[in-house]
């Protein structure tokens, strides 16, 4: 079905229909809450859950329930909770996804700490369909990164990333590689050095993230002045720009409206373009309720992001039914009511399925 399904999704989105006969095409999946690191500022509480033995891990029954819907999955993000490269269901998911998609274009985007990713494993996972990688790096020195990210080795990771770039070039791999850095009180002085590493290593993008006060240590790390953050971001932006590397600035709020030219500022347009590039998908917030859902490791289904309340569990209710549950319908109605465009068909600046 491929593009015909995307075209149908595009049609119901532009018509702002709240109840859908079209399937979700973008999936955020939590394969595991376990992580081998103990990051001081982790927003998913993976270290605590792992230590307590309460971390959930996706099992075969959840993947079985998800599998019939993978044929529509144009984009899959493994971006939440624990370390996905250590999840038992990662390889089975990639194998089922490739079989279900039957060579149709599919992006698999993975956020990883990179410490379990050897050269061999990197090539294996790229061969199975991972085409977009985000590596977490919160400093340029062991004194900073390895203290914030207990269990990580910045020297090892930087060496690996340089090698992955070489492997991409040597094997002509269609894969994007970037670094995500959470800006904290402890590492704000090294942000420019992280940008220098990203550019000299030949990586594609750098994302700078804000710190969330998810625990006492994170709250302390969030005590960095806006002036210091802005100075670090500006320095990193200058370095990245000089070398043609995309910078995604998540440290300040950006309002993205792709509905018509002139709605977004030049800075917001640059942010939106860079964010799309780093995630290897067009991120249109207006479109998300018609495309995207989240599945937790235990099968709980949530709208748009993992911070939303669960709608139900796909082990108990088919995903197609949950897709039209009242919370999903309500989010579509609300999203449609907030649009900056004038009636349907809408979003003339969104290129639609041909661009995807």
């Amino acid at each position: 079905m491929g593009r015909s399904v995307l075209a149908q999704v595009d049609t119901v989105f532009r018509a702002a229909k709240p109840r859908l006969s079209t399937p979700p095409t973008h999936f955020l999946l939590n394969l595991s809450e376990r992580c081998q690191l103990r990051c001081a500022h982790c927003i998913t509480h993976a270290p605590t859950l792992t230590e307590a033995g309460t971390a959930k891990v996706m099992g075969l029954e959840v993947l079985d329930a998800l599998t019939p819907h993978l044929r529509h999955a144009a984009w899959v993000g493994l971006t939440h909770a624990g370390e996905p490269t250590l999840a038992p269901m990662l390889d089975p998911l990639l194998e089922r996804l490739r079989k279900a998609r039957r060579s149709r274009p599919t992006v698999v985007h993975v956020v990883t700490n990179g410490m379990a990713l050897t050269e061999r494993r990197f090539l294996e996972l790229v061969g199975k369909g991972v085409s977009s990688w985000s590596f977490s790096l919160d400093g340029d020195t062991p004194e900073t990164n390895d203290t914030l990210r207990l269990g990580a080795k910045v020297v090892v990771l930087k060496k690996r990333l340089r090698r992955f770039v070489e492997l991409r070039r040597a094997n002509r791999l269609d894969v994007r590689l970037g670094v995500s850095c959470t800006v904290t009180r402890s590492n704000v002085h090294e942000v420019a050095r992280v940008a220098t590493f990203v550019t000299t290593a030949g990586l594609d993008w750098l994302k700078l993230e804000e710190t969330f006060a998810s625990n006492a240590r994170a709250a302390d790390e969030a005590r960095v002045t806006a002036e210091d953050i802005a100075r670090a971001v500006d320095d990193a932006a200058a370095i990245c720009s000089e070398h043609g590397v995309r910078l995604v600035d998540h440290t300040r709020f950006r309002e993205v409206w792709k509905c018509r030219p002139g709605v977004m500022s030049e800075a917001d347009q640059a942010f939106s373009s860079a964010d799309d590039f780093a995630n290897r998908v067009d991120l249109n917030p207006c479109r998300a309720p018609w495309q995207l859902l989240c599945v937790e490791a235990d099968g709980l289904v949530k709208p748009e992001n993992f911070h939303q309340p669960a709608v139900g569990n796909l082990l108990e209710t088919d995903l197609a039914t949950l897709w039209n549950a009242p919370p999903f319908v309500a989010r579509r109605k609300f999203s449609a009511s907030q649009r900056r465009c004038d009636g349907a068909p809408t979003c003339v600046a969104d290129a639609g399925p041909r661009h995807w």
Side-chain angles (χ1 to χ4, degrees):
M1 299 172 71
R3 288 207 179 275
S4 64
V5 170
L6 293 179
Q8 291 171 38
V9 173
D10 186 55
T11 298
V12 295
F13 156 67
R14 294 177 190 276
K17 293 184 178 180
R19 295 190 59 82
L20 306 179
S21 59
T22 54
T25 58
H26 293 54
F27 294 77
L28 286 170
L29 306 179
N30 177 3
L31 296 185
S32 174
E33 294 177 341
R34 291 179 189 162
C35 187
Q36 82 276 41
L37 301 191
R38 301 183 307 284
C39 297
H41 52 309
C42 180
I43 65 172
T44 67
H45 308 290
T48 303
L49 295 171
T50 302
E51 184 177 3
T54 57
K56 299 182 180 67
V57 177
M58 184 177 289
L60 191 59
E61 67 281 1
V62 174
L63 182 58
D64 285 344
L66 185 62
T67 296
H69 307 278
L70 294 178
R71 62 195 175 107
H72 303 303
W75 185 87
V76 174
L78 309 179
T79 63
H80 182 70
E83 174 51 43
T85 64
L86 294 176
M89 288 299 107
L90 175 58
D91 289 86
L93 167 67
L94 295 175
E95 290 161 4
R96 293 189 185 195
L97 183 61
R98 181 166 55 180
K99 182 178 179 181
R101 292 293 290 167
R102 298 179 182 176
S103 300
R104 291 190 294 271
T106 310
V107 171
V108 178
H109 175 72
V110 176
V111 173
T112 176
N113 60 51
M115 295 309 299
L117 206 59
T118 62
E119 293 178 20
R120 179 177 178 179
R121 183 63 170 149
F122 170 75
L123 289 173
E124 183 178 50
L125 290 174
V126 171
K128 290 185 176 183
V130 179
S131 56
S132 183
W133 292 93
S134 173
F135 295 91
S136 298
L137 184 65
D138 289 339
D140 189 61
T141 64
E143 292 76 18
T144 300
N145 181 82
D146 299 0
T147 301
L148 284 168
R149 305 181 61 79
L150 294 175
K153 302 294 182 185
V154 65
V155 174
V156 172
L157 184 56
K158 287 164 69 175
K159 182 179 179 181
R160 284 182 181 171
L161 290 176
R162 287 192 174 96
R163 182 59 181 149
F164 295 161
V165 172
E166 293 173 355
L167 291 171
R168 174 175 65 176
R169 184 184 306 114
N171 294 278
R172 298 181 179 180
L173 302 175
D174 179 20
V175 60
R176 288 182 191 169
L177 307 168
V179 159
S180 175
C181 176
T182 301
V183 181
T184 72
R185 181 177 59 82
S186 296
N187 73 6
V188 67
H189 64 290
E190 290 190 1
V191 169
R193 292 176 60 174
V194 172
T196 297
F197 163 72
V198 168
T199 59
T200 58
L203 298 167
D204 303 312
W205 54 266
L206 169 64
K207 181 185 293 186
L208 301 178
E209 303 272 14
E210 71 275 41
T211 303
F212 288 98
S214 56
N215 56 48
R217 176 62 187 278
D220 182 59
E221 289 296 339
R223 290 191 302 107
V224 53
T225 68
E227 292 77 13
D228 285 344
I229 293 174
R231 189 179 305 111
V233 171
D234 289 345
D235 290 345
I239 294 167
C240 289
S241 177
E242 182 181 355
H243 295 84
V245 171
R246 303 287 190 101
L247 178 79
V248 187
D249 177 14
H250 265 283
T251 67
R252 64 193 83 181
F253 175 73
R254 299 288 189 188
E255 193 168 33
V256 175
W257 295 99
K258 293 188 175 182
C259 48
R260 65 178 185 265
V263 172
M264 287 197 294
S265 69
E266 186 175 328
D268 287 347
Q269 290 179 44
F271 162 78
S272 178
S273 175
D275 206 20
D276 291 352
F277 182 83
N279 289 281
R280 203 159 185 174
V281 63
D282 282 355
L283 298 170
N284 184 344
C286 289
R287 185 185 291 277
W290 282 263
Q291 291 180 311
L292 177 67
L293 57 70
C294 308
V295 180
E296 293 278 13
D298 57 0
L300 289 176
V301 176
K302 300 178 177 180
E304 295 186 61
N305 64 68
F306 286 104
H307 303 293
Q308 300 298 322
V311 172
N313 194 306
L314 56 79
L315 293 179
E316 301 168 354
T317 308
D318 183 73
L319 194 62
T321 301
L322 294 175
W323 185 230
N324 276 309
F328 277 100
V329 173
R331 289 188 70 84
R332 292 181 195 120
K333 288 181 178 178
F334 176 77
S335 178
S337 73
Q338 299 301 301
R339 290 181 183 180
R340 299 290 182 90
C341 44
D342 300 319
T346 61
C347 225
V348 296
D350 187 310
R354 291 184 180 180
H355 181 65
W356 307 340

